[in-house]
Every structure is written in structure tokens, then in C-alpha cells.
Amino acid sequence: MKIVVIGGSGLIGSKLVKILRQGGHEVVAASPSSGVDARTGEGLAGALAGAAVVVDVANSPSFEDRAVLEFFETTGRNLLAAEAVAGVGHHVALSVVGADRLPASGYLRAKVAQEDLIRASAIPYTILRATQFFEFAGGIAQSADDGGTIRLPHAHVQPIASDDVAAALAEVAVAAPRNGVVELAGPEPIPLDDLIRRYLEARRDPREVATDAHARYFGAELDDRSLTPGDGPILGATRFDEWLARSAS
């Protein structure tokens, strides 16, 4: 089938495009660099012509509260309108586990707004909510850096390798629409402060991690349920230590 991947040149999108093409599908890797911009609508009609499935893994270039909300609402409306005209039969979107539990986070509020647009449309859909990617560890550390000391809570997360996210998305894309949410997580829960501590040690980064129950994660305080999945999630196979060893080499 013809599958359009919005954000097809990014971390997840490029992996997903490769998997789907290996599966014999006709895949359009859509991004502004390829002349398809979901934010402005440029190139959407041509890219979506004849498409059976659209997978949206595009991400906002800015995480500022107003900018990220504008990005996901605008791209969501443009995509869904173009899909309705093209007769697309399945809209797949990548979202975040716990998005609806942390309204203090502007980014997660924007993802909830994106999800609401999808649910309100007439297009069959699947929302795949994933936990934090292992590849985000460096960015998490940087965001929590307080003068050389990284302050993070001991709240559990259940991060996942981007390879496993792409593989799960590929399976969802070629399956029937769920018209609901599917959760995806890594194989093991890890306290956030320990996760970043292990990451820094593997990178020989001398910064220390201080455990602070009130330290905010992109604007929100966390507990053990904030960013972990509910019952019966899809689980990735890659453990954090395996990924650390592979990425370090």
C-alpha cells in the first residue's frame, strides 16, 4: 500500500520509512526538505494522492508553550483536511505516554490538543503513545542542569529505544485502525535520576545528578505514574544498558 510518513526525515521517521520500504510498501518520506510541509499545507495534496495510510511523526521545532501548541494544532488540521479529500483510510499519530496526566507541561498539552483533533475527525485512526526515547537522555540532562548539577526526581519512567518505536509504528501502520490509543514502553522501569546518572557515567560526563522530588521535568512535577504506561502496553525489546553500550561504541 501507499503510506505517507509526515516527518519522514527525522529520528523516528527515517527508521520507519526504511522498515516500511523493506516490507514492500510504497512510502513517501514527507518533510519540508522534500517539499511537503504540513504546517503550511504545501505539497500535501500531491503527497497524499492515492495514500492508504498517513503516519504523523513530525515534531515541533520549538518547545515554547505557544509555539508548540500552534504547531500541533495547525499541522493536525491541515493533515486531517487533506486526508479527508484524498480518501485516506488510516491516520496514525505518535504521541506520549502520560500526555493527559501532566497539564503543567506545555508540550504535553499540545500533544493532547493534537489527539483531540484526531478523535474529532471522521478518519479512522490509531494513536500510539510512546514513553521517552533513550536518545532523549542527553536533552533531559541539559534541561535539568542547574549550574553543573543536574536536578531530577526519583520518579520512575520506562524509556524505549527509537528503533523499537519505529518497529511498533510500522506494525500499527499496516494493521487495521484501532480508533483508540495504544501504549508503547521499554522493557523496564527506571528512576529518572538513575537513568540520567547511568547515561552520564557511560559518556564520562563529570556532572553530578542530585535527586530532588520537586525538580520539574519540562515544567511538570512527576510521580511514578506520570510517565509510565498502564496495563498491557506493547514492550520494546532493547534494554537501556544494551543501548548505552551500543551507542557508546
Side-chain angles (χ1 to χ4, degrees), residues 104-105 140 143-144 151-153 192 212-222:
S105 166
I140 293 171
S143 72
R151 301 189 181 280
L152 289 167
L192 183 58
D212 181 348
H214 299 293
R216 291 180 175 266
Y217 174 83
F218 294 103
E221 286 194 15
L222 305 181

Side-chain angles (χ1 to χ4, degrees), residues 106-221:
Y107 183 85
L108 295 183
R109 287 199 305 273
K111 293 301 288 185
V112 169
Q114 178 191 37
E115 291 184 7
D116 288 344
L117 288 171
I118 294 167
R119 291 189 186 92
S121 79
I123 299 169
Y125 70 92
T126 305
I127 296 169
L128 183 68
R129 285 183 174 178
T131 54
Q132 290 62 43
F133 308 161
F134 295 157
E135 288 83 355
F136 290 171
I140 293 171
Q142 193 60 37
S143 72
D145 191 312
D146 180 16
T149 298
I150 296 169
R151 301 189 181 280
L152 289 167
H154 195 64
H156 280 81
V157 292
Q158 199 163 328
I160 187 167
S162 62
D163 286 345
D164 292 342
V165 175
L169 273 169
E171 292 186 7
V172 166
V174 301
R178 300 285 192 96
N179 291 316
V181 172
V182 179
E183 290 192 320
L184 172 67
E188 56 186 340
I190 307 171
L192 183 58
D193 54 347
D194 288 349
L195 178 83
I196 301 306
R197 195 173 284 116
R198 287 158 63 181
Y199 174 82
L200 296 178
E201 288 173 356
R203 294 293 188 277
R204 294 183 171 82
D205 188 319
R207 288 178 293 175
E208 293 187 359
V209 176
T211 302
D212 181 348
H214 299 293
R216 291 180 175 266
Y217 174 83
F218 294 103
E221 286 194 15

Side-chain angles (χ1 to χ4, degrees), residues 21-149:
R21 284 177 176 163
Q22 288 173 340
H25 300 284
E26 176 190 353
V27 184
V28 176
S31 66
S33 62
S34 69
V36 182
D37 191 335
R39 189 175 185 178
T40 65
E42 178 187 359
L44 275 182
L48 268 56
V53 180
V54 171
V55 185
D56 182 10
V57 294
N59 206 0
S60 174
S62 169
F63 281 17
E64 188 275 325
D65 286 3
R66 183 177 298 179
V68 72
L69 179 62
E70 188 274 335
F71 176 87
F72 283 120
E73 287 189 330
T74 301
T75 58
R77 291 191 183 100
N78 288 344
L79 268 178
L80 293 165
E83 289 171 27
V85 172
V88 171
H90 189 187
H91 179 96
V92 179
L94 181 62
S95 190
V96 183
V97 165
D100 52 351
R101 295 195 291 264
L102 293 174
S105 166
Y107 183 85
L108 295 183
R109 287 199 305 273
K111 293 301 288 185
V112 169
Q114 178 191 37
E115 291 184 7
D116 288 344
L117 288 171
I118 294 167
R119 291 189 186 92
S121 79
I123 299 169
Y125 70 92
T126 305
I127 296 169
L128 183 68
R129 285 183 174 178
T131 54
Q132 290 62 43
F133 308 161
F134 295 157
E135 288 83 355
F136 290 171
I140 293 171
Q142 193 60 37
S143 72
D145 191 312
D146 180 16
T149 298

